[in-house]
Amino acid sequence: MLIGLCGGICAGKHAIAEYLIEHQGFRLLELASQPSSRTITDEPDDHLRLQASQVSKTGATPPEHIFQTPESLLDFVTKHWQQRWVTTDIADGETLDRFILRPFFLLVSVDAPVSLRWKRFSDRCWRRQLDPPDLEKFVLWNDRHLYEKDIGRVYLTDRAQARLFNSSSSLEELHQSLQTLDLGDEQRLRPNWDQYFMQLASLAAQRSNCMKRRVGCVLVRERRVISTGYNGTPRHLTNCNEGGCPRCNRGDGGGVGLSTCLCLHAEENALLEAGRERIREGAILYCDTCPCLTCTVKIAQVGISEVVYAHGYNMDESSAAILKSAGPSNGLVYLQASSE
């Protein structure tokens, strides 16, 4: 496993790398040709060229863990991917493009309020008996560090697979949070089946044209997709977002005027697409939102074995009761949205 840490000035990426090394058995990998990744700012003033804190407290990084190019670092990890590695030296999008293709790589971005990062930077200056910059100057440095064309760190952070907000007031507090988070959990490298199919359902929802809410659905059997669906008006009718469904466009509240709604629900579209013959026993339905009562009775009728959803609706308990009554094979699973 290789974790790459990126983020703004004094966001805490080196502190996180240090924690991973000291408490979770990671080892640091560096790029010798990345001076910009080890300086806090590119300002020409020598007294403000503060070197980032040494990540490892055990001494200098061994020569065999310092590489001249990103390619050589990546080749090394490829041969030792079952061990734990961390680096803070991913400095541009081209390097990230190479790394992110590998199944053992996890990009983690670290952010914090700019006022807190300025305080951290100022404290570092005082410890080294240097005058810190004022907040305005620090903000200018930060903007350039993040948003400079082609090389700004925001080009990396926007692609992170995990995003951390480091508002911790002390290292102890940060370490407690990291212990709970467990960045070294290898399940982060690959979504489990529920996460995978729920992501497909969320992707399907992006095709929805319903003015009330976007919902996507995926029908699965034996870990193979049978069909997908999203809510909106039936085929050949005017799309809901173009006025095709008067009820949705009036903005009626939940449960009001349902008999006049012309939109098919995501679950209905997925069931119609699959048909009873393709569903059969053992099929699982994944949906962004808990099915309504109308969809639930149809789900029970075709013999869906399990329903997995991400967000509650106003009739979760009633839908669950119907599925429970439909037989012992039916179940309703609520996947709590991740806080990351």
Side-chain angles (χ1 to χ4, degrees), residues 248-319:
C248 289
N249 283 268
R250 285 196 305 268
D252 290 346
V256 177
L258 292 179
S259 62
T260 65
C261 183
L262 301 182
C263 286
L264 287 167
H265 290 190
E267 303 93 320
E268 291 176 309
N269 272 322
L271 294 173
L272 289 169
E273 177 69 22
R276 177 67 183 265
E277 295 76 16
R278 294 177 61 197
I279 295 174
R280 301 201 301 270
E281 185 179 353
I284 301 175
L285 183 145
Y286 291 85
C287 194
D288 283 342
T289 306
C290 181
C292 68
L293 292 180
T294 302
C295 289
T296 300
V297 296
K298 295 173 183 176
I299 291 168
Q301 174 68 10
V302 298
I304 297 292
S305 298
E306 188 176 20
V307 175
V308 182
Y309 68 100
H311 304 287
Y313 198 38
N314 57 13
M315 54 189 72
D316 295 26
E317 293 183 2
S318 299
S319 295

Side-chain angles (χ1 to χ4, degrees), residues 129 136 227 241 291:
Q129 299 181 341
E136 182 179 1
S227 66
N241 61 348

Side-chain angles (χ1 to χ4, degrees), residues 1-3 25-27 29 73-86 99 102-106 184-187 189-190:
M1 181 181 196
L2 171 63
I3 292 181
F26 282 78
R27 284 178 283 181
L29 301 180
L73 189 156
L74 191 58
D75 288 343
F76 173 84
V77 179
T78 301
K79 297 173 184 177
H80 305 86
W81 66 272
Q82 291 180 316
Q83 301 176 43
R84 290 184 162 192
W85 310 100
V86 62
F99 280 57
R102 302 303 176 98
F104 52 75
F105 178 71
L106 179 72
D185 184 356
E186 293 189 358
Q187 291 188 11
L189 298 173
R190 189 183 188 195

